[in-house]
Amino acid sequence: MLADLFPDPMSASPAHPIDLAELDRPQIEQAVADLGVPRFHGTQVFQWIWARGVADFSRMTDLSQSLRTRLEERFRIATPAIETRQVSSDGTTKLLLRLEDGRHIEAVYIPDTPAQTFCVSTQVGCAMNCAFCLTGKMGLVRNLSAGEIAAQVRVLAHATGLGPSSFNIVLMGMGEPLHNYDATMKAIGILTDAKGLALHPKRITLSTVGVLPGLEKLAQEPLMPNLAISLHATTNEQRDQLVPVNRKYTLEDLIETCKRFPLAKRRRIMFEYVMLDGVNDTPEDARRLVRLLSGIKAKVNLLPLNEAAGIPFTRPADDRVNAFAQILVDHGLVVTVRRSRGRDIRAACGQLIVEGERRSAGQRLGTAL
Ligand code: SAH
């Protein structure tokens, strides 16, 4: 079971040569140097994969023919295959990707937000089981490896033709990134490596329900992405119902951890707040939210619910959303309302679900933590 959740890229057999897409730059340099050639050839291979998006050794034209042949014999570069591509009327594009073991994930390109944004998954399914999220209905099927997380960016860049400095990444697809901590951080390391895509960490946003041991570790990391917290409620009673991980890591502890979280100059923690009609969208909720966030460098992103069959909530009317936002603004908070994108192709927040995968190896909160 554990081996299934954490595929080990280094345990390669001749039939399954080592997957270089799973390795960070120093590891690729070492793996190539182990062939008895200078280390910089490993750097070149890393550049081909991550800076130029080339996953085929025969196209690595600055390497000798004999080295290319030896690389082919020893290594492979796994790249998820695009099984379907759906384009929304607003330009949002959702890719259904097939992984090497036949599992599926979704990755989304959201144009003009105003930036170009790639929304990337960190798990097949999710164990968090938030009451309003379709991905949660799948349970957790398995963690993605670092290579599988980072590869979504390679595939999206290729599919959209966008170059490295022209897109942002949000870890807001399927899965809970801090429930797959090591692979997520290794993927961030690969994506930010100066010899690869060289993405600035501030172009990456990690969104979490607040798995506190993960947040504590993240606070120590040298490479710090932007942080978004899926808050969604202002009392433990309510959050226990909406975001079940709250039963383990309470609202007070989450807020305390956010207060201590180190932030670079001019950066803020984004608090996401899904709006459910008549449930968490009253003026009292807004005022409680203001009190909770006082003393934190915060901004609030309101997410009017994306409705779906099987989700037992409705989206509030716009004037209710605006009234809620106004209370926050009146108390000095920076507030944005997330425009829902790609709803017609079920690519909006909380709508990612791969039908065939659900329940297969599903693990729900309770057993998973
Ligand atoms: N597991 C991480 C990453 C998911 S990010 C997290 O929870 O933060 C996706 C964001 O969309 C989260 O804030 C999530 O709570 C929110 N979301 C989930 N379902 C939604 C829905 N139906 N409508 C609007 N937002 C939703």
Side-chain angles (χ1 to χ4, degrees), residues 58-130:
S58 68
R59 290 176 53 208
M60 300 186 179
T61 46
D62 55 3
L63 304 175
S64 72
Q65 187 56 57
S66 74
L67 180 55
R68 282 186 253 167
T69 308
R70 289 175 70 200
L71 290 170
E72 237 151 46
E73 286 162 7
R74 266 301 276 275
F75 304 122
R76 70 185 205 288
I77 301 164
T79 304
I82 300 178
E83 199 153 287
T84 61
R85 177 193 308 229
Q86 285 172 280
V87 183
S88 157
S89 55
D90 65 24
T92 299
T93 302
K94 181 169 80 169
L95 305 180
L96 175 68
L97 301 177
R98 191 179 62 256
L99 306 170
E100 276 199 322
D101 67 351
R103 299 284 188 200
H104 292 87
I105 49 167
E106 293 180 322
V108 182
Y109 162 52
I110 311 148
D112 312 320
T113 56
Q116 316 302 316
T117 303
F118 293 167
C119 177
V120 164
S121 296
T122 53
Q123 297 178 313
V124 183
C126 185
M128 298 299 122
N129 204 18
C130 297

Side-chain angles (χ1 to χ4, degrees), residues 170-358:
V170 293
L171 298 175
M172 296 190 186
M174 296 164 73
E176 164 51 48
L178 296 187
H179 191 214
N180 184 17
Y181 189 89
D182 292 343
T184 298
M185 293 316 296
K186 185 171 181 183
I188 291 175
I190 291 172
L191 294 169
T192 51
D193 191 294
K195 303 268 190 218
L197 280 166
L199 279 163
H200 195 286
K202 77 174 183 218
R203 285 187 170 272
I204 303 178
T205 300
L206 184 153
S207 177
T208 175
V209 289
V211 179
L212 293 194
L215 261 185
E216 303 278 5
K217 267 206 268 179
L218 187 66
Q220 313 294 326
E221 293 283 349
L223 275 178
M224 188 75 78
N226 292 317
L227 180 61
I229 301 282
S230 291
L231 195 64
H232 304 325
T234 52
T235 65
N236 279 316
E237 205 184 0
Q238 195 169 59
R239 198 163 190 266
D240 282 352
Q241 300 308 314
L242 298 178
V243 184
V245 77
N246 195 71
R247 297 171 203 163
K248 190 169 171 90
Y249 306 118
T250 63
L251 204 48
E252 293 77 18
D253 289 346
L254 174 58
I255 293 296
E256 256 324 295
T257 309
C258 289
K259 283 195 172 140
R260 289 198 313 269
F261 199 83
L263 288 172
K265 263 198 203 128
R266 287 191 295 279
R267 289 227 229 165
R268 293 168 191 270
I269 299 178
M270 180 201 278
F271 288 87
E272 295 162 283
Y273 193 93
V274 69
M275 299 199 66
L276 311 172
D277 191 34
V279 175
N280 65 354
D281 64 344
T282 64
E284 296 75 60
D285 287 299
R287 285 190 282 270
R288 268 197 304 266
L289 185 55
V290 169
R291 283 198 295 276
L292 264 182
L293 299 185
S294 74
I296 301 181
K297 280 170 76 186
K299 55 186 173 182
V300 176
N301 190 217
L302 298 175
L303 288 73
L305 177 75
N306 294 309
E307 295 174 339
I311 298 297
F313 301 102
T314 48
R315 180 190 183 90
D318 287 352
D319 55 357
R320 236 177 131 85
V321 174
N322 292 340
F324 191 97
Q326 191 61 53
I327 295 174
L328 305 183
V329 170
D330 288 346
H331 288 83
L333 278 165
V334 178
V335 184
T336 49
V337 178
R338 193 176 298 179
R339 203 154 50 96
S340 122
R341 302 289 299 265
R343 260 197 289 173
D344 54 342
I345 56 164
R346 224 179 53 203
C349 293
Q351 299 198 308
L352 302 183
I353 184 168
V354 181
E355 295 293 347
E357 308 285 344
R358 82 206 284 188

